[in-house]
Amino acid sequence: MTAELARGQNHPLSATRLEIRVAGGHPLLACALGTDERGTAVGDSPARPGAPGLPGVQVPRQAAAVLRCAFDLDALPDTVHRVALVLALPEGPGAPGRFGATAGPHLALAGPGGTALAAFTVTGLDTETAL
C-alpha cells in the first residue's frame, strides 16, 4: 500500500534500491545532492544532467515532463547522511517561468520491482523556479 505523505512527513523505507518518479505539468530538470549530518554537500558536484556526480544516484540527462531518478542507498559514500532531490524549471519558449503557474509536481517512490512505497504532491508553490 502506498503512503500519501503530507508536507514534512517522514516514512520508513523497506528497500535500499529506490526509484522516484516525478510527474510535472511541464518538463522539469532534476539533480541530487548528498549532504552530511550538518547539511554540508558531500563530493565534488551534485548528480545532475551531464555530470556523473554522486555514486549510487542517477538522474535523467535532460528535461522531461516525467522523470525517473534511481537511488542505490548502499552505494552512497558513508559520509552521506541525506540526499536532496532538486527540481528546476528549464527556461525557454513555452516554459511556465515559475512553479505556481503549473500543476505541482507529483513524486512517487518505488522499491524493487516497482513496489509503490510512498507518494507526495508538492503544493502551495508560487514564484519558485527550483525546489
Side-chain angles (χ1 to χ4, degrees):
M1 184 166 126
T2 303
E4 185 67 35
L5 304 179
R7 187 179 298 258
Q9 183 179 356
N10 291 318
H11 185 71
L13 296 176
S14 58
T16 58
R17 295 184 68 108
L18 306 163
E19 179 182 270
I20 297 179
R21 181 178 171 266
V22 182
H26 287 275
L28 301 169
L29 287 167
C31 72
L33 179 67
T35 62
D36 62 19
E37 291 181 6
R38 295 180 310 272
T40 303
V42 173
D44 293 334
S45 66
R48 58 183 165 76
L54 197 60
V57 177
Q58 294 178 336
V59 296
R61 296 179 81 53
Q62 60 188 15
V66 177
L67 301 172
R68 293 184 186 279
C69 304
F71 300 85
D72 181 351
L73 303 181
D74 291 332
L76 290 171
D78 291 339
T79 54
V80 173
H81 178 73
R82 177 175 289 164
V83 177
L85 178 63
V86 180
L87 303 174
L89 292 169
E91 296 178 343
R98 61 187 182 88
F99 274 102
T102 186
H106 178 78
L107 291 83
L109 179 65
T115 305
L117 301 174
F120 177 70
T121 300
V122 183
T123 59
L125 300 173
D126 187 19
T127 61
E128 298 87 352
T129 56
L131 54 103

